[in-house]
């Protein structure tokens, strides 16, 4: 606990934190990078999930996954550094904010759901690649994924009001 408090204090005293607070343009530019990143991530994930749910069944789901999932992962290279930079501006406020804590927990839950999908239904995706309904577990996980990411976006937006 003391270590976490020390880390937050160190971050708040850093020149990055001062620049994020003091510069007129830096925070909004970093926020635009964050938004660009999660638009790519959540957009890719949502298009994939909708295909698993049964939309555009003529599109081979394995090819769609090969196209979209690398983009979703690459988007993290924009989202995470930009998120950490904004966090550095007011580390104590964000760290103690329940909405921020919920947002991080939901991102973790989305990651676990995606990992279980890959280790589970995705391994047999050849059997439901094209023109066939995905198995119930795959569809349930796709629906859960959409719900979690919608909740992450909601928490992110609510940070400005909490
Ligand atoms: C991975 C998926 C993520 C999504 C979908 C997401 C979503 C959002 C959204 C919708 C906003 C509000 C943008 C706006 O109102 O203009 C936001 C802001 C923010 N996010 Fe994220 N975020 C993600 C990851 C992260 C991570 C990993 C961190 C930090 C470790 C983070 C930290 C922040 C901070 C500090 C803000 C600024 C809040 C404010 O100034 O009002 N985000 N995010």
């Amino acid at each position: 606990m003391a270590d976490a408090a020390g880390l937050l204090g160190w971050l708040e005293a850093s020149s990055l934190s001062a620049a994020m607070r003091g510069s007129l343009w830096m925070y909004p530019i970093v926020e635009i990078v964050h938004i660009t990143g999660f638009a790519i991530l959540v957009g890719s994930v949502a298009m994939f999930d909708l295909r698993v749910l049964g939309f555009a069944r003529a599109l081979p789901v394995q090819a769609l996954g090969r196209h979209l999932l690398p983009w979703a992962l690459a988007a993290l290279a924009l989202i995470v550094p930009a998120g950490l930079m904004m966090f550095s501006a007011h580390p104590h406020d964000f760290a103690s904010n329940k909405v921020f804590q919920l947002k991080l927990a939901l991102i973790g839950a989305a990651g676990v759901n995606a990992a279980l999908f890959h280790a589970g239904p995705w391994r047999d995706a050849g059997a439901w690649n094209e023109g066939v309904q995905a198995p119930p577990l795959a569809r349930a996980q796709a629906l859960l994924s959409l719900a979690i990411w919608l909740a992450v976006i909601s928490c992110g937006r609510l940070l400005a009001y909490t």
Side-chain angles (χ1 to χ4, degrees), residues 108-119:
V112 170
N113 184 45
L116 291 174
F117 177 83
H118 274 266

Side-chain angles (χ1 to χ4, degrees), residues 72-94:
L73 288 176
L76 290 172
L78 296 178
I79 300 168
V80 176
L84 288 172
M85 284 175 80
M86 289 189 291
F87 179 85
S88 79
H90 306 285
H92 290 97
D93 292 346
F94 282 124

